[in-house]
Amino acid sequence: MPPTTESSAGGAGHAKAHDDDDGDHTVGMPETAHQISTDSWFQVGFVLTTGINSAYVLGYSGTIMVPLGWVGGVVGLFLATAISLYANTLVAKLHELGGKRHIRYRDLAGHIYGRKAYVSTWAFQYVNLFMINTGFIILAGQALKAVYRLFRDDSVMKLPYFIAIAGLVCALFAIGVPHLSALRIWLAFSTFFSLVYIVIAFALSFKDGLQMPPRDYTIPGSGPGKVFQTIGAAANLVFAFNTGMLPEIQATVRQPVVGNMMKALYFQFTAGVLPMYAVTFVGYWAYGSSTSSYLLNSVNGPVWVKAVANISAFLQTVIALHIFASPMYEYMDTEFGNIKGGALSLHNLSFRIMVRGGYLAVNTFVAALLPFLGDFMSLTGALSTFPLTFILANHMYLMARGPKMGCIQKAWHWLNVILFGCMSVAAAISAARLIAVDSKTYSVFADL
């Protein structure tokens, strides 16, 4: 990494973790090949909202509400919203800790804990984003297959083929859009596509709910299987609201970076969550425990309307994946690319074709190999979202601000660390079991 990054990763100890930077706005700026401090809080708010209202929302009726039921699902979503907002604000407030801007999650962890934490945090984050991106490609493939099935009732084209097509389109988009700030107009398209599939899914589900006989809302399963499903759904809850890359997104916002990021987070967790709530609750109300893990497979309506919804879900997924892949792109561009060259220079363009294309090829292969979307959501929440968003956020804040805290506040943060640590272990066991069961039920490269 560049010298400034290495310094923050390896040279910081606990003494620096306690630095008080609240009154010093002259901060060091790390070297990066991507743009930083160029975006308004409103644009950053839309980046966050794009993630929370991605096509993943079409699965929450089946992957969260069905295993938890009305009480557990509704209470769980509201609690997850509040807890996620709190945890994200903790990370946002540490962005300029010790007189340096920490534009990468690993930089912040390295500044507080040292080199080993820098490396381990990068590993956690890589796993988190890799699995999220794999899930996005599965989603995009499912959306394309749904369009195909609307017009052709055969099995000539199978899900792995559509996943391969989706991966190719995602790679082309990644090559053409050099960095996170360059999304700009694409965020408007993303918002439009999100509204299209959410409004259509909401309207058709509501219509079906009015016309259908009483539904069964009994939580499926029994014994240990039911317990594991509940734990997996809890992991899906935290997955729904968190990116695992907040410092990377905060790096793009203009000064004052903490104040503007707080505005973006409040936008995400107020106006931004309403569409997700609406489609999740109405979808479960309409179909009960038989709700599909991809809501558009459950709805009834005109073929052309369902086709528009699925095409919109596919296109929005392409844009959303680019957001969650950007930390990996930034690392590769900064470490191996030409920082001083233009984004469309021959060297940087060919570099993106080779490196980003290769990265997404691996993502696409894994997505086609194991296309179990709900299981990926659970495993991602367990292995990386819990540690990055809740465990690490609380402990880093405790290390950085500990001397100013009272006993009660310290106890509160330690309680969060221990509680979410236990939940992470339980959710990982549950997700591994679900994948093992599904792997026995379905073959690799399954046509789900």
Side-chain angles (χ1 to χ4, degrees):
M1 295 299 294
T4 53
T5 304
E6 289 289 351
S7 175
S8 69
H14 297 309
K16 282 193 175 182
H18 299 308
D19 285 352
D20 183 7
D21 59 321
D22 293 339
D24 181 11
H25 296 290
T26 304
V27 294
M29 197 73 72
E31 188 176 16
T32 176
H34 289 193
Q35 290 185 7
I36 55 178
S37 293
T38 59
D39 301 340
S40 67
W41 72 263
F42 196 60
Q43 178 173 332
V44 173
F46 268 97
V47 169
L48 295 168
T49 303
T50 292
I52 208 170
N53 287 304
S54 70
Y56 273 116
V57 301
L58 298 173
Y60 296 154
S61 296
T63 59
I64 291 177
M65 296 301 295
V66 170
L68 296 179
W70 273 120
V71 175
V74 173
V75 173
L77 276 168
F78 287 145
L79 278 177
T81 303
I83 295 170
S84 298
L85 172 60
Y86 174 72
N88 279 280
T89 58
L90 294 181
V91 177
K93 290 175 181 178
L94 298 177
H95 190 75
E96 294 182 333
L97 182 67
K100 297 178 182 178
R101 284 198 67 176
H102 304 285
I103 65 170
R104 309 171 186 97
Y105 215 127
R106 60 188 183 276
D107 290 353
L108 178 58
H111 177 81
I112 294 175
Y113 302 112
R115 178 67 185 177
K116 290 183 180 179
Y118 173 91
V119 175
S120 60
T121 301
W122 182 215
F124 269 119
Q125 191 180 38
Y126 176 84
V127 170
N128 179 59
L129 299 177
F130 182 87
M131 289 195 291
I132 289 175
N133 292 331
T134 299
F136 272 127
I137 295 175
I138 295 172
L139 265 175
Q142 286 184 334
L144 287 179
K145 182 184 176 182
V147 174
Y148 177 83
R149 292 297 299 271
L150 289 173
F151 299 98
R152 294 283 298 272
D153 189 19
D154 58 48
S155 57
V156 175
M157 289 287 288
K158 301 184 184 299
L159 180 60
Y161 305 152
F162 292 109
I163 287 175
I165 295 171
L168 176 61
V169 175
C170 289
L172 292 174
F173 188 81
I175 292 166
V177 180
H179 47 73
L180 197 56
S181 292
L183 280 172
R184 299 191 186 281
I185 188 63
W186 292 107
L187 292 175
F189 282 115
S190 173
T191 302
F192 171 75
F193 293 141
S194 295
L195 289 174
V196 168
Y197 61 72
I198 287 175
V199 168
I200 290 175
F202 178 92
L204 294 183
S205 298
F206 189 74
K207 177 183 67 70
D208 287 347
L210 293 176
Q211 296 175 352
M212 285 184 174
R215 275 75 68 192
D216 179 16
Y217 296 109
T218 304
I219 298 174
S222 59
K226 195 171 185 178
V227 174
F228 281 118
Q229 285 180 357
T230 302
I231 296 172
N236 292 342
L237 281 171
V238 299
F239 172 86
F241 295 100
N242 298 286
T243 62
M245 51 174 283
L246 192 75
E248 287 81 356
I249 295 175
Q250 190 171 1
T252 66
V253 75
R254 298 171 190 153
Q255 290 285 0
V257 291
V258 174
N260 281 332
M261 194 63 193
M262 297 299 288
K263 293 178 183 177
L265 286 171
Y266 293 144
F267 178 81
Q268 175 195 8
F269 284 99
T270 52
V273 299
L274 295 180
M276 186 201 72
Y277 284 162
V279 74
T280 300
F281 295 149
V282 170
Y284 182 60
W285 167 77
Y287 309 106
S289 58
S290 63
T291 308
S292 169
S293 61
Y294 182 64
L295 186 58
L296 292 177
N297 287 338
S298 296
V299 300
N300 298 293
V303 170
W304 71 269
V305 174
K306 294 170 68 174
V308 167
N310 279 292
I311 292 171
S312 297
F314 167 74
L315 294 173
Q316 198 275 346
T317 297
V318 173
I319 300 171
L321 182 148
H322 191 74
I323 295 173
F324 287 91
S326 61
M328 177 56 67
Y329 297 160
E330 189 274 336
Y331 168 75
M332 293 187 292
D333 293 348
T334 302
E335 184 72 14
F336 305 108
N338 183 3
I339 296 178
K340 296 181 180 180
L344 298 179
S345 68
L346 181 61
H347 175 274
N348 285 337
L349 191 60
S350 59
F351 178 81
R352 290 201 299 274
I353 292 173
M354 178 180 65
V355 175
R356 297 186 185 187
Y359 173 73
L360 288 172
V362 175
N363 268 132
T364 303
F365 176 77
V366 174
L369 184 71
L370 298 169
F372 314 128
L373 182 61
D375 298 350
F376 264 100
M377 291 164 58
S378 298
L379 190 62
T380 304
L383 291 181
S384 44
T385 308
F386 270 124
L388 285 174
T389 306
F390 298 105
I391 301 172
L392 198 57
N394 276 278
H395 195 265
M396 286 194 304
Y397 197 81
L398 189 64
M399 292 293 294
R401 308 296 192 208
K404 295 183 178 181
M405 293 182 187
C407 293
I408 295 177
Q409 193 175 3
K410 287 182 180 179
W412 163 251
H413 286 291
W414 275 115
L415 177 64
N416 278 296
V417 170
I418 295 170
L419 174 63
F420 289 114
C422 294
M423 290 182 68
S424 179
V425 172
I429 295 171
S430 172
R433 179 184 179 277
L434 287 172
I435 290 176
V437 170
D438 282 343
S439 297
K440 292 178 181 177
T441 304
Y442 304 103
S443 62
V444 294
F445 298 105
D447 183 32
L448 301 181

